[in-house]
Amino acid sequence: MSSLTGSPFILDIADASSVSVYGENLRMASVDRLSTFMIHAVGADSKDITVTVTAPSGKKKHARVIPVDDVTYKVEWKAVEAGEHSIDVRLFNQSVYESPFVCNVGDPDLVTVRNMPEFISANELFRDYTFEIDASAAGSGNLEIMINGGRVACRVRELGGRHYLAAFTPTQLVTHVIEMRFNGEDVRLSPWKIPIREVRSVPKYESEQRITRTSESRSVDRRESYYSELSGPGLQRAAVGKTSTFEISGDGLEPNDIQTRIFDEYPLKLSKS
């Protein structure tokens, strides 16, 4: 018996059960954002791999499979509706291990924040400030809140129906920056900057007065001055015959608002940076 032309044939054997699928967007994604995850499949080609995404409405779409190297593939897809999606990864038309995967898709633009504090009173540190979050229309996902890079704790209580009440307690006279993400994406209007404001009790007639200043041909109408902090080496040490400096940072301050003197009552020169 003679051999067939091309014999012996070399076959690449790929086992669907040995394929690994991984990546953040395999389990969590956002509407209208490009989502990606990875597939590791030895002995397979991109044409042998199919990825089908089924939306909550029942609509199906094929994801794009891009070779990275001989055994690694990148999958790209984009959700158009919020809710639970099914991702079916197949090799040679056989579902891989754990497929189909459940991916929670949310829409960060549909997260609504209400009653965000406009300012923090310098006279009222160590008390709770609160705001409300409505994620009922945003679909499934994880909500993250970070204040001042995580240095200020934020406590969240669920009110029901994916409505939440968040609270934080300022302990320092610094602007508080509140960042909020849904499924890893910034929600609408994030971040919020909450300044420190010094509130003083004044007679009613005085509170109605306005101080109008003209700077560079513009009129600025102000009722209060805000402040943040003082910093710089000139606050702690100085050299004879040398100019010493320190900084006063704050929102709404003008040089004429500040009077600064040392012990011997020598006036200091103020400049706006």
Side-chain angles (χ1 to χ4, degrees), residues 122-231:
N123 305 323
E124 295 183 341
L125 292 181
F126 299 96
R127 81 164 180 86
D128 287 349
Y129 287 78
T130 63
F131 54 92
E132 299 174 21
I133 305 165
D134 180 1
S136 59
S140 303
N142 294 333
L143 184 67
E144 305 169 78
I145 304 173
M146 186 166 58
I147 303 178
N148 285 5
R151 295 185 296 275
V152 177
C154 183
R155 305 175 301 280
V156 179
R157 178 166 60 91
E158 186 171 3
L159 303 177
R162 295 181 62 79
H163 288 73
Y164 306 91
L165 181 68
F168 66 98
T169 307
T171 60
Q172 293 181 318
L173 294 174
V174 296
T175 297
H176 284 57
V177 180
I178 300 176
E179 301 172 81
M180 191 179 303
R181 297 185 179 91
F182 189 71
N183 284 359
E185 301 284 346
D186 287 337
V187 306
R188 187 166 52 91
L189 302 180
S190 177
W192 293 265
K193 294 183 179 181
I194 316 299
I196 297 292
R197 179 181 296 181
E198 185 175 15
V199 180
R200 60 188 181 90
S201 298
V202 295
K204 183 177 180 180
Y205 73 90
E206 184 179 344
S207 65
E208 296 299 326
Q209 294 180 350
R210 295 189 176 185
I211 303 174
T212 304
R213 303 179 186 275
T214 302
S215 175
E216 298 179 357
S217 301
R218 294 188 307 172
S219 294
V220 181
D221 187 17
R222 304 188 307 139
R223 292 174 183 264
E224 298 105 352
S225 292
Y226 310 160
Y227 72 91
S228 179
E229 59 184 344
L230 283 73
S231 61

Side-chain angles (χ1 to χ4, degrees), residues 99-115:
S99 181
F101 302 90
V102 175
C103 181
N104 291 317
V105 176
D107 190 343
D109 291 336
L110 296 181
V111 176
T112 303
V113 178
R114 292 189 290 266
N115 300 324

Side-chain angles (χ1 to χ4, degrees), residues 27-47:
R27 303 291 187 182
M28 185 173 61
S30 297
V31 172
D32 290 331
R33 269 75 165 181
L34 183 65
S35 301
T36 63
F37 59 88
M38 309 299 291
I39 298 175
H40 181 83
V42 178
D45 193 86
S46 59
K47 68 179 185 300

